[in-house]
Amino acid sequence: MKYDSQYYMLNESGRATSYMLDQVEGSDDGLERLMSLFPIHRKVLGPGRVGISEGNRAKFQPCDYHETAEQLVSEKFRQVLAPFNLPGVDFYQTNIVNGDKIWSEHYYMHIWNHHQAIHKKRSEISGTYVGDRFTLLKLSLDEEVLDQVPLEKRLVFRLREDPTFLFHESVVAALRAADLSGLGFRRVDDWFIGSAFEEDDDIDDDL
């Protein structure tokens, strides 16, 4: 269970939770494949385009982190990750559009570095591991798997069995130090399927 206290999930926090953003007309068609496990840079020929589907448009100002169908991050967020030289993590320039206002220094973050790292006995699911037909209820990471992966290759990764993205504590420390807006953290051993509705480990004060 040693890795359960070393890895975190990211989630929206603060004023970011007051809005829902989605791709809108004009977004590059290639970005529809962003959740694919594999690199898609050859499929994306232009920028993404995101609009506000819920929330007060008149008061909107973008945060450094927004949860959409993917993860939408700012240039400031991207620069925090750059020194880590993360394998299998790509950024696709995306415009946030609100009426005649356009914010262009944002990116869809595509994490296609993946490891089959769910500990099947300690984790809790609804469904079956056969064919990965399950909903993850509570997560524990398999130390026998991750012990075989050099740290630099698992600083940020996606679970191969489930679209859950994990960030090592060293990366989280850098993100915390950058004082990014809209961003919260939930450690794996403190996460369960309903934890998104509880108070975050870290809550920004940009309200």
Side-chain angles (χ1 to χ4, degrees):
M1 299 176 63
K2 64 180 181 179
Y3 291 113
D4 296 356
S5 62
Q6 295 181 20
Y7 281 91
Y8 291 75
M9 301 174 190
L10 306 186
N11 55 273
E12 282 186 325
S13 184
R15 59 186 168 86
T17 61
S18 299
Y19 295 91
M20 182 175 293
L21 279 61
D22 295 295
Q23 286 192 57
V24 296
E25 185 176 356
S27 187
D28 188 277
D29 290 342
L31 288 172
E32 293 180 1
R33 297 188 60 189
L34 199 62
M35 294 299 289
S36 167
L37 284 179
F38 304 103
I40 60 170
H41 61 276
R42 293 182 181 178
K43 300 290 184 180
V44 180
L45 304 179
R49 188 176 171 88
V50 168
I52 302 167
S53 57
E54 291 187 16
N56 188 332
R57 297 171 185 268
K59 294 184 177 181
F60 176 77
Q61 289 291 327
C63 294
D64 294 303
Y65 181 82
H66 288 277
E67 288 181 1
T68 63
E70 298 80 23
Q71 298 179 89
L72 185 67
V73 303
S74 67
E75 171 65 14
K76 183 179 178 181
F77 185 111
R78 189 176 76 92
Q79 288 300 325
V80 173
L81 295 191
F84 290 97
N85 296 312
L86 299 171
V89 179
D90 296 328
F91 296 89
Y92 297 92
Q93 194 268 316
T94 299
N95 296 326
I96 301 177
V97 181
N98 183 23
D100 59 356
K101 294 182 179 179
I102 299 177
W103 293 270
S104 59
E105 292 191 347
H106 281 74
Y107 302 83
Y108 274 140
M109 180 168 57
H110 175 44
I111 301 170
W112 50 276
N113 179 34
H114 59 93
H115 300 291
Q116 192 166 341
I118 293 178
H119 194 288
K120 293 183 178 180
K121 292 184 177 180
R122 294 197 302 257
S123 299
E124 297 177 16
I125 65 169
S126 175
T128 174
Y129 285 117
V130 178
D132 296 333
R133 297 188 298 272
F134 65 87
T135 298
L136 191 61
L137 304 179
K138 190 170 179 59
L139 174 63
S140 184
L141 297 171
D142 192 331
E143 55 270 20
E144 290 187 9
V145 172
L146 295 180
D147 280 346
Q148 304 305 310
V149 183
L151 177 59
E152 64 271 16
K153 294 185 178 181
R154 54 176 172 81
L155 288 171
V156 175
F157 70 94
R158 171 182 165 174
L159 292 174
R160 178 63 180 84
E161 311 94 322
D162 184 83
T164 295
F165 307 101
L166 299 173
F167 293 73
H168 187 262
E169 59 188 359
S170 58
V171 178
V172 169
L175 292 169
R176 281 175 166 158
D179 193 27
L180 300 169
S181 62
L183 180 59
F185 308 90
R186 178 72 63 176
R187 206 168 70 180
V188 166
D189 57 8
D190 191 43
W191 179 89
F192 56 94
I193 195 169
S195 60
F197 302 102
E198 292 193 341
E199 187 174 282
D200 300 330
D201 289 350
D202 279 28
I203 297 181
D204 60 39
D205 57 1
D206 62 346
L207 292 171

